[in-house]
Amino acid sequence: MNIKETIENVVEYILKFIEKAKGYVEDIIEFFTNLRNRIENLLEYVEEKLAGITHFIEELKQQNEALAA
C-alpha cells in the first residue's frame, strides 16, 4: 500500500465515522424532542386535573358555607 492509498483509506474511514456519528446525533435529537413533547403533554394533563380538583374544592367550600349559614 502506498501513501496515497493509505491517506484515501483514512479519509474514507473518517467520512464513514462522521456519517455514523451524524446518525447517532439525529437519533439523540429525535429522542429528546419526543421526550420534551411527552413531558409537555403530561404537564398539560396535570394542569387540567389540578384545575378540576380546584373547582371541586371550591364547590365543597360553597356547599359547606351554605350549610353553615
Side-chain angles (χ1 to χ4, degrees), residues 49-63:
K49 294 300 176 186
L50 286 174
I53 291 169
T54 301
H55 180 70
F56 178 72
I57 290 172
E58 289 300 319
E59 287 180 4
L60 287 176
K61 284 181 183 178
Q62 290 174 0
Q63 289 177 3

Side-chain angles (χ1 to χ4, degrees), residues 20-57:
K20 188 179 277 191
K22 181 181 172 186
Y24 291 142
V25 169
E26 289 171 354
D27 290 345
I28 291 168
I29 290 170
E30 181 180 354
F31 171 80
F32 282 107
T33 300
N34 290 339
L35 181 61
R36 183 193 67 213
N37 291 339
R38 289 177 185 219
I39 290 171
E40 287 174 351
N41 290 338
L42 176 62
L43 289 174
E44 288 176 14
Y45 173 79
V46 168
E47 286 175 353
E48 290 173 5
K49 294 300 176 186
L50 286 174
I53 291 169
T54 301
H55 180 70
F56 178 72
I57 290 172

